[in-house]
Amino acid sequence: MKDQDLYNYILGIADNSLILGQRLGELCGHGPNLETDIALTNIALDLFGQTRSYYQYAAKIAGDGRTEDDIAMLRNERDYKNVLLVEQPNTHFGHVIARQFLFDVYHLQLMNALQHSEDEMLVAIARKGVKEVSYHKRFSGDWLKRLGDGTDESKQKIQEAIDHFWPYTDELFDMSDSDKKMAEQGIGVDLTALKDEYYKQISEVLEEATLTIPDNPYSKRGGKQGIHTEHMGYILTELQYMQRTYPNMTW
Amino acid sequence: MIDLHPNIDAELIPILEEVADPEIPVLTVLDLGVIREAVIRNGKVLIKLTPTYSGCPAMDVIGDDLKAAFLKKGMEAEITLVLAPAWSTDWISEEGKRKMEAYGIAAPLEETADKEALLGNKPLVKCTNCGSTHTRLVSQFGSTACKALFQCEDCMEPFDYFKCLK
Ligand SMILES: [Zn+2]
């Protein structure tokens, strides 16, 4: 493939949205109340929509006859390059909100920066995405504050969730070889440059939510190299079930 | 500057006016502003369609409905999805906004007012049932990603508000 690095770069971004969307989709009909159920599944829908744009573009670059669906449904676990954070289970509402917020802040930074890419298609996707992602961040940030500054129980649960996911945040800023090459060419985003601002923004909201900023130097990583946690296989089993059982089926 | 008047062949307009948004059937695709171009080239209708939201499931349906509407007139239509420039609620026509309100969905406010309303700072969204602005935000996400759920404090009517997207 001529543009292997661009292809890898696009999939790196898209896989995060696909897997997080799949996680949120699990909550359809299971949200804590009707409004949050609808909100979380709407966010999932936005993420899937963005994923489609990326995969369609990636399929065009690959030029080997594969479609967006093949890329989404027919890869093996090691070929998915999403960060470990987005594949972590929903566990309880505090976990859903903490995981979402820690991702949304990064995602919005990425969408803002990607609007300055040298690649026209990525600029178009980012311009569309930035409007949606700012909404996601507003939703998760509001809930974080509401839970943190809420009852004793909600505070304890959301703090536990933030502490739990904290070690997964560092990987968001890891750059693969393709990421580095794309950043050098002005197509990709230099993720390392986003890191300070990320923790600054997170800390501000945590403070407003009367929560404690975790002081944990330990970090967990691997997803960006395709080395996933035990949860990933289960997600793919569900995600790919129809295509694996009835190859090439369409609705 | 975004062109509010996309390149559309006059003879295609009556056919486009027959194709409605599947979610808000009182709006045609022209009211919604999602048709960025519609021209006849070598006997084929070429349409550029832009999505409202990335994941809007209505887009695939709109594409199919457009093809069907032209096929009925003996014309073949080819749909291309274009992302840039990104759709904005400014592209909904004034006529479209009126129809939307009559249908029970509050039309998008301008950007600053929209923010105030969605943050719950100021009651600015007008109830589609009684016209009161004494309304409150129930949920930032309504029945679809493009809408938020409000309730009127005067007549108690719950209603959707079409969020401003810029
Ligand atoms: Zn009312």
Side-chain angles (χ1 to χ4, degrees):
Chain A
M1 199 188 303
K2 191 169 82 45
D3 291 315
Q4 185 71 51
D5 286 314
L6 180 57
Y7 177 85
N8 292 346
Y9 181 68
I10 297 167
L11 258 53
I13 300 175
D15 288 349
N16 282 340
S17 294
L18 176 76
I19 301 302
L20 184 57
Q22 182 70 13
R23 271 291 183 227
L24 294 174
E26 289 171 17
L27 293 163
C28 186
H30 300 277
N33 62 30
L34 189 58
E35 286 77 19
T36 40
D37 187 302
I38 290 170
L40 291 165
T41 40
N42 267 316
I43 293 172
L45 205 56
D46 283 344
L47 291 172
F48 287 142
Q50 293 160 16
T51 308
R52 283 191 68 185
S53 301
Y54 291 121
Y55 286 165
Q56 282 165 4
Y57 186 34
K60 210 166 117 189
I61 292 165
D64 54 8
R66 276 184 301 160
T67 66
E68 49 172 316
D69 287 334
D70 296 331
I71 296 177
M73 305 291 177
L74 297 178
R75 281 179 292 154
N76 292 321
E77 182 175 324
R78 286 282 175 107
D79 300 325
Y80 286 84
K81 299 296 159 64
N82 56 280
V83 291
L84 299 180
L85 174 68
V86 296
E87 70 196 47
Q88 298 311 304
N90 293 328
T91 313
H92 62 63
F93 186 60
H95 277 232
V96 173
I97 292 301
R99 183 188 62 206
Q100 192 65 35
F101 179 68
L102 293 173
F103 183 74
D104 287 344
V105 173
Y106 158 83
H107 199 193
L108 185 56
Q109 283 183 293
L110 179 69
M111 290 296 103
N112 276 322
L114 202 58
Q115 292 184 60
H116 305 291
S117 168
E118 296 288 333
D119 186 288
E120 235 177 78
M121 189 63 197
L122 288 180
V123 172
I125 300 174
R127 286 213 174 128
K128 189 102 204 118
V130 75
K131 300 177 180 187
E132 296 160 358
V133 176
S134 10
Y135 231 87
H136 304 169
K137 186 184 153 195
R138 197 191 289 175
F139 173 82
S140 60
D142 282 356
W143 268 105
L144 191 82
K145 287 178 232 165
R146 198 186 290 187
L147 294 172
D149 202 10
T151 64
D152 286 346
E153 188 185 359
S154 73
K155 188 192 186 90
Q156 177 259 317
K157 281 189 161 171
I158 192 72
Q159 181 72 58
E160 173 260 305
I162 287 286
D163 293 348
H164 175 77
F165 288 122
W166 197 257
Y168 294 101
T169 53
D170 201 44
E171 190 189 14
L172 291 165
F173 306 97
D174 282 358
M175 291 176 76
S176 68
D177 289 342
S178 295
D179 288 354
K180 284 178 196 153
K181 278 186 207 153
M182 287 298 103
E184 276 162 23
Q185 291 176 30
I187 291 172
V189 172
D190 178 8
L191 297 175
T192 54
L194 305 178
K195 203 166 167 173
D196 287 347
E197 175 63 23
Y198 174 82
Y199 286 108
K200 189 173 154 263
Q201 284 189 30
I202 299 271
S203 303
E204 279 168 11
V205 180
L206 286 178
E207 264 169 41
E208 213 185 317
T210 69
L211 293 168
T212 311
I213 300 157
D215 179 24
N216 181 357
Y218 180 63
S219 60
K220 295 182 185 182
R221 46 177 28 88
K224 282 197 132 170
Q225 274 83 50
I227 316 291
H228 294 279
T229 54
E230 66 273 27
H231 307 295
M232 188 66 178
Y234 292 94
I235 297 177
L236 292 182
T237 304
E238 188 161 347
L239 177 76
Q240 301 181 335
Y241 177 79
M242 295 303 274
Q243 278 304 322
R244 299 282 187 198
T245 312
Y246 306 100
N248 304 320
M249 70 153 294
T250 53
W251 292 108
Chain B
M1 183 63 201
I2 288 157
D3 189 5
L4 273 171
H5 302 282
N7 183 19
I8 296 174
D9 284 358
E11 59 189 296
L12 299 178
I13 289 176
I15 305 171
L16 291 169
E17 276 173 343
E18 283 172 26
V19 180
D21 177 334
E23 298 275 3
I24 311 171
V26 290
L27 296 187
T28 72
V29 286
L30 291 177
D31 291 328
L32 201 58
V34 291
I35 305 291
R36 303 318 297 156
E37 190 177 288
V39 292
I40 301 178
R41 292 282 178 274
N42 304 321
K44 225 181 187 184
V45 183
L46 305 180
I47 296 175
K48 285 189 180 152
L49 182 68
T50 193
T52 50
Y53 280 70
S54 301
C56 181
M59 282 305 133
D60 289 338
V61 180
I62 289 177
D64 290 345
D65 288 353
L66 282 166
K67 280 186 197 164
F70 282 101
L71 204 61
K72 243 172 49 188
K73 307 281 174 192
M75 285 186 265
E76 193 192 336
E78 197 180 290
I79 318 283
T80 318
L81 213 59
V82 288
L83 294 180
W87 182 82
S88 148
T89 39
D90 284 352
W91 297 1
I92 302 174
S93 67
E94 287 310 311
E95 173 68 11
K97 285 176 190 161
R98 272 192 298 275
K99 287 195 234 170
M100 189 188 283
E101 299 243 329
Y103 185 65
I105 299 169
L109 297 165
E110 54 83 26
E111 209 174 356
T112 353
D114 174 85
K115 215 162 237 169
E116 295 277 22
L118 288 174
L119 290 174
N121 292 345
K122 278 183 198 161
L124 295 167
V125 174
K126 222 159 89 188
C127 168
T128 52
N129 187 46
C130 75
S132 163
T133 53
H134 191 208
T135 57
R136 70 178 181 96
L137 172 75
V138 177
S139 174
Q140 283 172 8
F141 292 85
S143 54
T144 58
C146 55
K147 288 172 258 159
L149 189 63
F150 275 75
Q151 185 171 23
C152 178
E153 303 270 47
D154 284 335
C155 75
M156 302 314 282
E157 178 84 353
F159 62 95
D160 269 333
Y161 161 65
F162 204 108
K163 295 182 286 204
C164 168
L165 191 70
K166 284 227 173 172

